[in-house]
Amino acid sequence: MSKYPLISDYRQIEKYRESFNELAKQVFEIDFKEWHDKGFWSDHYICYSYVDGDQVIANASVNKMVLMCNGKEYKAIQLGTVMTHPDYRHQGLAAKLMNHIIEKYEKDYDFIYLFANDTVLDFYPKFGFEKVQESSFTLTVSDLKQQAVRKSALRKLDVDNQDDFELMKEFAAERIPISSTFGVKDGEQLLMFYFIVVFRNAIYHDEDEDAILLFKQEENHLHVFDIISKRKINLEAVVDHMISDETEFVHFYFVPDSDNENIQSALITESDDTLFVRPLLIDGTKHFRFPFTSHA
């Protein structure tokens, strides 16, 4: 037992919600305020926190996820925002929160997973989590099977423009999983977090393919973080709309559905986000990757 009270599901209690947000900004430089204020903090995201008075001093959050893997549906819990205020560290608070969440959810979900940075790689195995290597997926532009006759007009979307924001909401609510091999179902609230907070300056609408694209170009590398569509898309056509004359390599941050045999897959050996799963459950897929916009 902790000497501090444990509270949960307090998103409608302003004093705790604001204290949680201040701790998240301090530890991770993440601000949840706009995501909450725009109405996307739902009961799919539940905080479990220790408090000292009105102050949130330690937290671990639960994200209820539905994952699709080779046509099979899994109920999963993703842990995120695991943090402790600097003044309250080394008291075992994070460990107590982990044990509480595992005990509460493990019987009702297929597995629990999380992404960890390299400072805590020794922490999560203590709770039965196993490290799993994800894969990278890369396409060399010269290997594209066909080049589009013309470039599509990509329109940059603005989160602060009401019409653009309504379009984002529509696509987030109606999207199909990005990959038939490995994707996320019903991830609207988390995707909206990425629109509002993470990629607000890198959101584009491909009007020809009717898809929303999240991508950034860095020198000769194109990083495609997500393609949000309400129907199956022609991946190569979308890629051709994103590349510039300088682009030589395209990196997909999800499992790309394509018959292009030139998409290279390789196990990721170094990463800022290491996947841990409990229990180990991968369904025989050798190369897979959780979509970037499903990370909590």
Side-chain angles (χ1 to χ4, degrees), residues 166-233:
E166 289 299 323
L167 186 68
M168 295 177 207
K169 287 167 58 178
E170 175 188 328
F171 272 79
E174 299 179 23
R175 82 167 303 175
I176 61 173
I178 184 61
S179 170
S180 59
T181 303
F182 199 91
V184 172
K185 183 179 177 183
D186 301 328
E188 175 185 3
Q189 47 92 29
L190 192 49
L191 179 57
M192 291 305 300
F193 177 83
Y194 278 87
F195 282 154
I196 295 167
V197 179
V198 182
F199 289 117
R200 62 185 301 138
N201 295 313
I203 310 170
Y204 301 85
H205 185 213
D206 182 336
E207 296 181 349
D208 284 358
E209 292 295 321
D210 196 25
I212 290 180
L213 318 176
L214 303 180
F215 69 91
K216 290 181 180 178
Q217 176 91 22
E218 292 181 347
E219 298 180 344
N220 61 340
H221 295 267
L222 178 71
H223 301 274
V224 183
F225 298 104
D226 203 352
I227 299 172
I228 301 99
S229 177
K230 295 177 281 186
R231 58 176 177 80
K232 189 171 177 62
I233 52 117

